[in-house]
């Protein structure tokens, strides 16, 4: 008579709402060069910290406006694998990634 | 008391899983990447199978996937005629390398600076990842689609297996063919083990082991069914194989004797790989799942929990899971 090896739980499956790569995981925090931590102002330089926080909130706002501008974007001459579409509407859920040249 | 193997099923893919690769052992453990015909390769924690993320961007079936040694980069080969390089910490696509046909295989050098690709256009390509504007070096010679291409001999040579029923060894500097092995049938898979320079090749029901430098045959084993993939344990005491009869087979490497066979998958097994520490092996199947199997059945490791005879009892039943429905099938 054999007993099956017990397991603590089953492997976690994908999150249906995200592509994963949790930015709060220890590996991400340790290795991801894109995370910009708040500078530790030794001695508590309040003014510098305030300025940095203000700059961060401006950048966040700009990023959010950028996302809103991408939402339901009407484009013309869209190049697709099946040909060039004269007119098209790109919905926000269609976008996987976007880049832009500054 | 005899313990029965409990495979851990990793779900998430919606189409057949055709390739798997483990990273080396990193300070954060080791990782597993799966290539799937659904076009969405996934990264998982190697010892638990927990999903970490999905690499989004390919527009066709992903035929090959690999991780670099420290699992900071991933590369994938797809039917959309591209090979892509990814940051495997953030999941972002870093590079897209255009090809002229379906790409089947990708492999990093040990320093992660070069990527070897191969596919249906019968060419081997070497991309310099620090100079992506430069055209890749191309090596021609195979007469049919290349299934797998791997760096070997400290990245000084390349091994390739193609549908022209040959496995060829190439010199990276001269870009010339050094040796060829010809078979009666197409090779179904090829795995290279740097430690000991061993090449594992499968074809028909055969699992063959060759010296990777000389391409001399070391030994051969026969399985009960056609085999699609095999993997040698890092300590070279076992090897595992899987194929068309949906089962996983475990063999003793020194005697080539079949030790165990395991049912579990609901479709042919396309790939099987040992983890870098040899404690488990992962299999990918036509049924769209990956399964993790223990090398030493009953040992405490990852999500498997060894239970001593005195611990077995009703009070433990809420803490641990017994058989999953699939095992009973």
């Amino acid at each position: 008579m054999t007993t099956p090896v017990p397991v603590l739980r089953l492997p976690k499956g994908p999150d249906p709402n995200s592509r994963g790569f949790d930015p709060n995981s220890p590996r991400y925090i340790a290795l991801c060069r894109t995370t910009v931590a708040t500078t530790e102002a030794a001695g508590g330089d309040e003014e510098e910290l305030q300025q940095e926080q203000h700059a961060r909130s401006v950048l966040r706002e700009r990023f959010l406006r950028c996302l809103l501008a991408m939402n339901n974007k009407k484009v013309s001459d869209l190049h697709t694998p099946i040909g060039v579409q004269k007119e098209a509407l790109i919905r926000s859920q269609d976008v996987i990634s976007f880049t832009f040249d500054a | 008391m005899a313990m029965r193997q409990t495979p851990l099923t990793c779900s998430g893919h919606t189409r057949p899983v055709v390739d798997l690769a483990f990273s080396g052992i990193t300070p954060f453990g080791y990782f597993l990447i799966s290539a799937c015909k659904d076009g969405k390769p996934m990264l998982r924690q190697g010892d638990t199978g927990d999903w970490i993320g999905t690499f989004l961007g390919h527009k066709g079936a992903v035929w090959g996937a690999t991780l670099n040694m420290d699992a900071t980069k991933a590369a994938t080969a797809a039917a959309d005629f591209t090979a892509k390089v990814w940051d495997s910490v953030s999941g972002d696509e870093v590079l897209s390398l255009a090809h002229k046909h379906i790409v089947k295989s990708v492999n990093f050098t040990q320093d992660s600076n070069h990527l070897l690709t191969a596919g249906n256009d019968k060419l081997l390509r070497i991309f310099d990842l620090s100079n992506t504007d430069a055209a890749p070096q191309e090596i021609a010679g195979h007469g049919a689609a290349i299934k797998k291409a791997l760096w070997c001999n400290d990245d000084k040579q390349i091994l390739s297996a193609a549908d022209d029923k040959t496995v060829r060894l190439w010199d990276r500097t001269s870009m010339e063919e050094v040796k060829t092995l010809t078979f009666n049938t197409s090779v179904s898979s090829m795995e290279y083990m740097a430690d000991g320079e061993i090449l594992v090749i499968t074809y028909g029901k055969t699992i063959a082991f060759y010296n990777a430098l000389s391409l001399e045959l070391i030994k051969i084993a026969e399985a009960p069914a056609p085999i699609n993939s095999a993997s040698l344990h890092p300590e070279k005491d076992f090897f595992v194989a899987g194929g068309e009869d949906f089962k996983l087979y475990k063999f003793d490497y020194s005697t080539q004797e079949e030790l165990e066979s395991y049912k579990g998958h609901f479709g042919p097994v396309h790939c099987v790989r040992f983890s870098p520490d040899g404690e488990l092996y992962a299999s990918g199947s036509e049924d769209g799942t990956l399964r993790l199997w223990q090398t030493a059945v009953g040992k405490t490791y990852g999500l498997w929990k060894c239970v001593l005879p005195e611990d077995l009892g009703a009070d433990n039943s809420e803490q641990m899971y017994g058989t999953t429905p699939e095992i009973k099938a």
Side-chain angles (χ1 to χ4, degrees):
Chain A
M1 181 75 88
T2 56
T3 333
V5 178
V7 291
L8 298 168
R9 56 169 174 83
L10 299 175
K12 293 177 195 158
D15 175 355
N17 302 317
S18 109
R19 69 181 177 115
F21 300 103
D22 181 13
N24 298 315
S25 72
R27 190 169 91 114
Y28 192 106
I29 293 166
L31 298 176
C32 230
R33 278 163 276 122
T34 53
T35 1
V36 183
T38 319
T39 46
E40 306 265 297
D45 188 342
E46 276 298 313
E47 214 192 295
E48 248 191 60
L49 196 60
Q50 285 263 29
Q51 281 179 346
E52 190 181 306
Q53 294 292 14
H54 178 74
R56 281 172 172 266
S57 72
V58 165
L59 286 171
R60 272 197 292 273
E61 194 184 318
R62 212 181 279 177
F63 176 63
L64 290 170
R65 286 187 190 284
C66 197
L67 289 181
L68 283 171
M70 290 301 302
N71 191 31
N72 293 336
K73 198 162 182 63
K74 215 167 178 195
V75 292
S76 47
D77 283 334
L78 179 71
H79 289 246
T80 73
I82 54 164
V84 177
Q85 307 299 315
K86 268 230 194 93
E87 296 287 332
L89 183 73
I90 300 175
R91 302 165 303 173
S92 56
Q93 58 257 45
D94 296 331
V95 180
I96 298 171
S97 78
F98 66 87
T99 57
F100 50 90
D101 299 319
Chain B
M1 154 152 41
M3 301 295 289
R4 200 162 77 238
Q5 171 90 261
T6 306
L8 292 168
T9 303
C10 305
S11 56
H13 283 304
T14 54
R15 298 283 318 281
V17 176
V18 292
D19 196 21
L20 288 173
F22 279 100
S23 68
I25 297 171
T26 81
F28 301 95
Y30 57 87
F31 300 85
L32 175 61
I33 188 171
S34 50
C36 181
K37 288 191 184 178
D38 63 11
K40 302 191 178 93
M42 290 184 181
L43 184 72
R44 294 176 187 270
Q45 192 70 44
D47 61 338
T48 58
D50 288 340
W51 174 80
I52 293 174
T54 304
F55 297 102
L56 296 175
H58 274 302
K59 298 187 194 77
V62 176
W63 286 101
T66 191
L67 292 166
N68 65 352
M69 276 306 280
D70 63 5
T72 51
K73 289 190 194 170
T76 50
D80 61 6
F81 294 18
T82 70
K84 288 183 191 282
V85 179
W86 312 79
D87 177 325
S88 87
V89 182
S90 66
D92 294 334
E93 182 183 315
V94 164
L95 209 53
S96 186
L97 304 165
H99 289 64
K100 303 250 165 40
H101 210 309
I102 296 169
V103 193
K104 284 280 177 80
S105 174
V106 272
N107 195 231
F108 285 106
T109 48
Q110 286 162 90
D111 61 9
S112 312
N113 282 340
H114 289 83
L115 187 73
L116 173 65
T117 70
N120 288 13
D121 65 357
K122 313 172 201 173
L123 296 172
L124 294 163
R125 285 189 175 80
I126 301 168
F127 290 88
D128 181 346
L129 299 178
S130 51
N131 184 11
T132 52
D133 292 326
Q137 291 178 288
E138 288 178 6
I139 302 176
H142 272 297
I146 304 170
K147 216 170 226 154
K148 196 93 184 174
L150 300 168
W151 294 104
C152 66
N153 192 8
D154 208 29
D155 301 337
K156 297 199 285 276
Q157 292 179 310
I158 291 166
L159 280 161
S160 58
D163 287 341
D164 59 6
K165 304 179 190 171
T166 68
V167 166
R168 299 182 199 212
L169 180 65
W170 312 79
D171 181 273
R172 187 247 185 97
T173 320
S174 69
M175 311 234 289
E176 269 162 29
E177 202 175 299
V178 169
K179 205 152 199 243
T180 302
L181 285 173
T182 311
F183 298 86
N184 292 328
T185 178
S186 267
V187 159
S188 48
S189 79
M190 188 170 73
E191 185 195 59
Y192 166 70
M193 180 170 272
D195 176 22
E197 295 288 348
I198 299 176
L199 185 62
V200 185
I201 290 176
T202 60
Y203 55 92
K205 296 181 184 177
T206 306
I207 304 130
F209 300 88
Y210 287 83
N211 176 307
L213 303 173
S214 64
L215 291 192
E216 266 160 30
L217 181 64
I218 301 171
K219 60 177 82 181
I220 262 185
E222 294 290 320
I227 293 297
N228 292 328
S229 176
S231 183
L232 179 60
H233 188 276
E235 261 131 68
K236 304 172 196 59
D237 36 18
F238 307 110
F239 61 96
V240 288
E244 293 295 305
D245 68 354
F246 312 359
K247 289 188 195 167
L248 267 295
Y249 292 95
K250 183 182 179 187
F251 295 82
D252 179 298
Y253 182 63
S254 33
T255 64
Q256 298 105 63
E257 192 194 322
E258 184 192 315
L259 297 169
E260 291 272 5
S261 67
Y262 301 111
K263 287 191 203 177
H265 277 296
F266 295 103
V269 175
H270 289 305
C271 46
V272 58
R273 291 273 176 270
F274 263 109
S275 62
D277 62 2
E279 295 284 354
L280 59 83
Y281 44 101
S283 58
S285 166
E286 183 77 11
D287 67 10
T289 67
L290 280 92
R291 278 166 210 249
L292 303 181
W293 310 80
Q294 282 192 291
T295 304
V297 177
K299 185 175 176 181
T300 295
Y301 182 85
L303 298 175
W304 291 287
K305 175 98 174 120
C306 173
V307 175
L308 298 168
E310 53 265 23
D311 292 342
L312 278 172
D315 18 344
N316 277 351
S317 56
E318 351 36 281
Q319 291 158 27
M320 283 176 273
Y321 295 87
T323 44
T324 56
E326 292 137 345
I327 311 297
K328 289 176 189 157

